[in-house]
């Protein structure tokens, strides 16, 4: 299913009349739960190709960006805490981004709905972790992620 076909299906399910891709950007933005803004974006030069969903998780805390990155690497290992979603860092806006790629040849509405629900759950969880502070890693009784990093490197 292409992104345009998914949006048509979502339009009929939600009743949102203007749920369509922008002709220039090939993107559409939806807000879930009044606070989770998710961008749906077609990539490539042809319509009906690969597409992404992505959202801003938030800015990295200046005091402990390394702890956040380590936490994300642990969460993303084999997708155990992230499902099919991945994380990236927008160095221009200095924000953490969650994204997921879809291949229309392997995506139907059931797959997309299930993946979108998982994506939103991970987005909510990671936003909460950024606000509350990342889970602190422990190694040998030490509750300090930077000590953990140097122990791994050393």
């Amino acid at each position: 299913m292409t992104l345009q076909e998914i949006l048509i299906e979502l339009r009929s399910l939600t009743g949102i009349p203007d749920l369509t891709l922008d002709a220039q950007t090939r993107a559409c933005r939806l807000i879930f739960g009044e606070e989770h803004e998710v961008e749906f974006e077609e990539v490539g030069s042809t319509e009906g190709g690969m597409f992404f969903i992505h959202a801003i998780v938030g800015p990295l805390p200046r005091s402990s960006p390394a702890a956040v990155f380590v936490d994300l690497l642990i969460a993303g290992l084999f997708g155990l805490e992230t499902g099919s979603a991945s994380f990236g860092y927008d160095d221009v806006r200095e924000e953490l981004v969650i994204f997921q790629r879809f291949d229309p040849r392997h995506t139907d509405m059931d797959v997309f709905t299930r993946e979108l629900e998982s994506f939103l759950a991970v987005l909510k969880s990671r936003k909460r972790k950024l606000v509350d502070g990342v889970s602190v890693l422990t190694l040998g009784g030490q509750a300090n992620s930077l000590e953990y990093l140097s122990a791994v490197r050393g």
Side-chain angles (χ1 to χ4, degrees):
M1 252 183 132
T2 67
L3 179 54
Q4 188 61 46
E5 291 168 335
I6 286 172
L7 291 176
I8 289 168
E9 185 76 20
L10 285 175
R11 194 168 45 220
S12 69
L13 291 172
T14 63
I16 301 172
D18 56 348
L19 196 54
T20 184
L21 292 174
D22 179 88
Q24 268 189 321
T25 64
R26 306 295 304 150
C28 175
R29 186 172 296 149
L30 293 174
I31 298 173
F32 295 87
E34 298 180 19
E35 60 184 293
H36 304 294
E37 194 171 297
V38 178
E39 185 103 5
F40 296 67
E41 186 173 357
E42 203 168 56
V43 294
S45 58
T46 61
E47 286 185 29
M50 297 292 232
F51 63 94
F52 283 86
I53 57 175
H54 54 91
I56 295 168
V57 178
L60 285 175
R62 296 222 183 263
S63 61
S64 59
V68 172
F69 286 130
V70 169
D71 190 55
L72 290 173
L73 288 171
I74 292 168
L77 184 62
F78 305 119
L80 293 177
E81 293 180 38
T82 59
S84 301
S86 299
F87 290 94
Y89 180 69
D90 182 338
D91 62 344
V92 173
R93 296 176 64 172
E94 297 183 341
E95 293 176 314
L96 185 62
V97 176
I98 184 173
F99 63 94
Q100 187 167 338
R101 185 180 90 160
F102 292 88
D103 183 337
R105 295 172 299 173
H106 306 290
T107 305
D108 61 22
M109 199 60 195
D110 289 335
V111 167
F112 183 77
T113 302
R114 187 173 50 253
E115 291 295 331
L116 178 60
E117 288 172 1
S118 173
F119 180 90
L120 290 169
V122 174
L123 173 60
K124 290 175 192 177
S125 169
R126 287 292 147 180
K127 278 186 168 186
R128 193 171 36 256
K129 277 193 172 203
L130 273 184
V131 170
D132 296 344
V134 297
S135 58
V136 178
L137 303 170
T138 58
L139 180 69
Q142 299 294 324
N144 184 327
S145 59
L146 295 179
E147 286 179 18
Y148 173 78
L149 284 174
S150 53
V152 170
R153 283 192 224 134

